[in-house]
């Protein structure tokens, strides 16, 4: 039995970050005869923590109100009976003391930076992050790094030349029941309202599309949680007003569950024009409902072009405009085929049930020395 500990900022039912769902699906899919997972998470993003189920057949979850001493002490107490400690953030405050404890106790360690080492991400609070990374580098020979794509793998190698290992495993999804709706002349963005997402470029491109197709609309789903994100949201709303798009660009805020799924399923395409993205779980959410995706080349989604499930393009106003217009003018048969390809791609490559063996084998490999 391999026992895994996940110290996290947020975990399902929280929808405040990608790992909340990704790790929930992973833990749920692991065979109970061979694996058990324990999660220590803050209540960040959990609407009603008191109503949360704290255990299931495959995992146990502890939700704490802080990420301070109580979080660290709870995690260290669980560390005694753990084989693997799986971190999902380099810069989550409890990571460093728990990393030191895991090294001391000779546990197998997995570190998933999840885009935190991308240049655009390191620009925020850069000095503090440089100091933090300098400390972690002292222990890199004990760390198995997990990247979600080969580009992130290269970035990790540059920062941690002496890491114990680096493995690429994409995020997987628990496929929801596919929602099939009549699609509208509509594009949707889903994600944080953050400058790294290039939403301003999307709005600029949409304004040009609107000149050619008066009926088209753009829905922006997501919230601004940080101060600089709130300022960016204000800039975006001013941009929409300046372009006279108030009735065509809709800011819908944070949505979950069926509301979000229905918006995605009824859209011509989901657009992810980010400056950089280590994965983009929202792409899987769209593909799972057969919705094509337009993603930027700064994301790991070249497969969209190869499978005709969407487009991976240069992040420019011109390319965004051209691609949106192409999708709006595509013939019905070709578009239906693209939607079919989108679903097939998700089911074949990113379904957690189909691919759980990847994680099973990885856990067994890195714990071989622990199990002896």
């Amino acid at each position: 039995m391999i026992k895994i500990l996940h110290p996290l900022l947020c975990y399902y039912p929280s929808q405040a970050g990608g790992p909340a769902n990704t790790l929930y699906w992973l833990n749920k899919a692991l065979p109970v005869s061979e694996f058990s997972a324990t999660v220590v998470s803050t209540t960040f993003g959990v609407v009603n923590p008191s109503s949360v189920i704290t255990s299931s057949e495959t995992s146990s979850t502890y939700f704490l109100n802080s990420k301070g001493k109580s979080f660290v002490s709870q995690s260290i107490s669980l560390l005694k009976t753990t084989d693997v400690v799986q971190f999902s953030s380099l810069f989550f405050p409890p990571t460093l003391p728990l990393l030191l404890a895991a090294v001391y106790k000779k546990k197998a360690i997995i570190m998933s930076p999840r885009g935190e080492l991308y240049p655009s991400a390191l620009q925020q609070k850069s000095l503090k992050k440089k100091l933090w990374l300098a400390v972690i580098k002292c222990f890199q020979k004990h760390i198995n790094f997990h990247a979600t794509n080969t580009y992130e793998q290269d970035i990790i190698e540059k920062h941690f030349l002496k890491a114990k290992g680096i493995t690429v495993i994409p995020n997987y999804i628990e496929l929801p029941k596919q929602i099939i709706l009549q699609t509208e002349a509509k594009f949707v963005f889903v994600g944080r309202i953050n400058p790294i997402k290039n939403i301003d470029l999307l709005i600029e491109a949409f304004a040009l599309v609107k000149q050619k197709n008066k009926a088209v609309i753009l829905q922006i789903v997501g919230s601004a949680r940080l101060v600089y994100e709130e300022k960016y949201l204000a800039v975006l709303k001013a941009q929409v007003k300046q372009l006279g798009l108030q009735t065509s660009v809709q800011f819908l805020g944070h949505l979950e569950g069926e509301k979000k799924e229905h918006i995605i399923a009824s859209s011509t395409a989901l657009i992810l024009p980010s400056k950089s993205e280590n994965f983009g779980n929202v792409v899987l959410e769209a593909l799972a409902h057969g919705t094509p995706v337009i993603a930027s080349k700064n994301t790991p989604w070249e497969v969209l072009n190869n499978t005709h499930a969407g487009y991976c393009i240069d992040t420019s106003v011109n390319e965004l405009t051209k691609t949106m217009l192409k999708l709006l003018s595509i013939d019905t048969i070709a578009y239906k085929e693209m939607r079919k390809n989108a679903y097939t791609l998700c089911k074949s490559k990113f379904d957690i049930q189909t691919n759980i063996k990847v994680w099973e084998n990885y856990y067994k490999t890195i714990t071989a020395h622990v199990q002896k």
Side-chain angles (χ1 to χ4, degrees):
M1 175 72 72
I2 295 176
K3 298 180 179 180
I4 307 151
L5 175 65
H6 299 274
L8 292 166
L9 172 65
C10 57
Y11 190 69
Y12 180 86
S14 171
Q15 298 297 302
N21 283 328
T22 301
L23 292 173
Y24 171 72
W25 292 324
L26 168 59
N27 292 336
K28 189 177 174 184
L30 288 169
V32 294
S33 60
E34 298 182 80
F35 299 89
S36 70
T38 302
V39 177
V40 182
S41 172
T42 73
T43 54
F44 182 64
V46 178
V47 177
N48 185 9
S50 62
S51 68
V52 171
I53 298 173
T54 57
S55 64
S56 68
E57 186 180 12
T58 54
S59 63
S60 299
T61 308
Y62 298 84
F63 284 100
L64 304 178
N65 292 321
S66 78
K67 52 189 176 185
K69 291 182 179 179
S70 60
F71 189 104
V72 173
S73 61
Q74 176 73 70
S75 300
I76 288 179
S77 68
L78 293 166
L79 194 62
K80 298 172 185 176
T81 56
T82 291
D83 300 305
V84 181
V85 185
Q86 186 164 350
F87 297 98
S88 289
S89 170
L90 288 159
F91 304 117
F92 181 44
T95 292
L96 196 51
L98 293 177
L99 173 63
L100 299 180
V103 170
Y104 176 74
K105 293 180 181 293
K106 298 181 180 179
K107 304 297 181 179
I109 299 167
I110 300 173
M111 184 72 72
S112 304
R114 299 189 181 278
E116 290 179 326
L117 293 174
Y118 282 44
S120 53
L122 288 176
Q123 287 173 3
Q124 299 290 332
K125 300 180 181 179
S126 58
L127 179 58
K128 180 179 178 180
K129 288 180 178 178
K130 284 180 181 178
L131 294 173
W132 197 269
L133 289 176
V135 176
I136 292 178
K137 283 179 182 178
C138 297
F139 303 94
Q140 61 181 299
K141 67 180 182 180
H142 301 283
I143 302 174
N144 301 282
F145 282 91
H146 159 234
T148 58
N149 61 79
T150 54
Y151 177 68
E152 185 176 42
Q153 179 185 30
D154 292 341
I155 291 176
I156 293 172
E157 286 177 348
K158 290 177 183 176
H159 283 276
F160 299 98
L161 292 171
K162 298 179 181 179
K164 189 169 187 177
I166 305 174
T167 298
V168 178
I169 304 176
N171 288 347
Y172 296 120
I173 187 173
E174 182 180 82
L175 285 183
K177 182 178 179 180
Q178 187 180 7
I179 298 172
I180 300 175
L181 299 172
Q182 183 67 40
T183 55
E184 306 168 23
K186 177 184 72 176
F187 294 98
V188 62
F189 165 86
V190 180
R192 290 168 56 198
I193 308 300
N194 188 296
I196 202 171
K197 302 294 186 179
N198 269 336
I199 306 171
D200 52 311
L201 289 186
L202 174 56
I203 292 172
E204 188 178 344
F206 176 77
L208 297 175
V209 172
K210 186 73 175 176
Q211 293 175 10
K212 303 283 186 179
N213 188 319
K214 301 299 181 184
V216 70
I217 64 172
L218 172 64
Q219 293 181 319
I220 298 173
V221 178
S223 59
R225 296 180 179 272
L226 305 174
V227 174
Y228 78 95
E229 292 176 338
E230 290 174 350
K231 290 179 180 178
Y232 183 56
L233 177 58
V235 169
L236 296 177
K237 289 182 175 179
Q239 180 187 16
V240 167
K241 185 176 182 180
Q242 182 183 6
L243 293 169
L245 298 172
Q246 296 95 317
T247 60
S248 302
V249 177
Q250 303 168 357
F251 292 91
L252 302 180
H254 178 74
L255 296 178
E256 297 179 15
E258 287 188 0
K259 286 185 178 180
K260 182 174 73 171
E261 289 181 342
H262 277 249
I263 285 174
I264 291 173
S266 61
S267 296
T268 300
L270 177 134
I271 304 181
L272 189 70
S274 306
K275 294 176 183 176
S276 67
E277 196 84 45
N278 82 303
F279 194 77
N281 276 2
V282 69
V283 173
L284 296 185
E285 293 180 47
L287 297 176
H289 292 299
T291 300
V293 175
I294 301 171
S296 66
K297 285 187 177 177
N298 299 320
T299 65
W301 287 105
E302 189 66 39
V303 68
L304 294 170
N305 292 333
N306 301 336
T307 56
H308 305 290
Y311 302 94
C312 191
I313 62 172
D314 289 325
T315 310
S316 69
V317 171
N318 180 58
E319 284 298 309
L320 284 167
T321 303
K322 186 170 68 175
T323 308
M324 281 190 277
L325 288 172
K326 183 188 297 184
L327 270 174
L328 289 171
S329 62
I330 194 171
D331 70 76
T332 304
I333 294 175
Y335 180 67
K336 284 184 177 179
E337 188 66 22
M338 184 176 285
R339 292 191 72 92
K340 181 181 177 182
N341 293 340
Y343 179 78
T344 300
L345 171 62
C346 189
K347 185 171 178 57
S348 63
K349 299 292 186 183
F350 302 104
D351 177 14
I352 187 64
Q353 295 299 331
T354 305
N355 295 282
I356 189 59
K357 280 289 184 185
V358 176
W359 274 106
E360 289 180 41
N361 292 335
Y362 182 49
Y363 286 136
K364 289 174 182 178
T365 298
I366 66 168
T367 56
H369 70 285
V370 176
Q371 300 295 305
K372 290 179 181 179

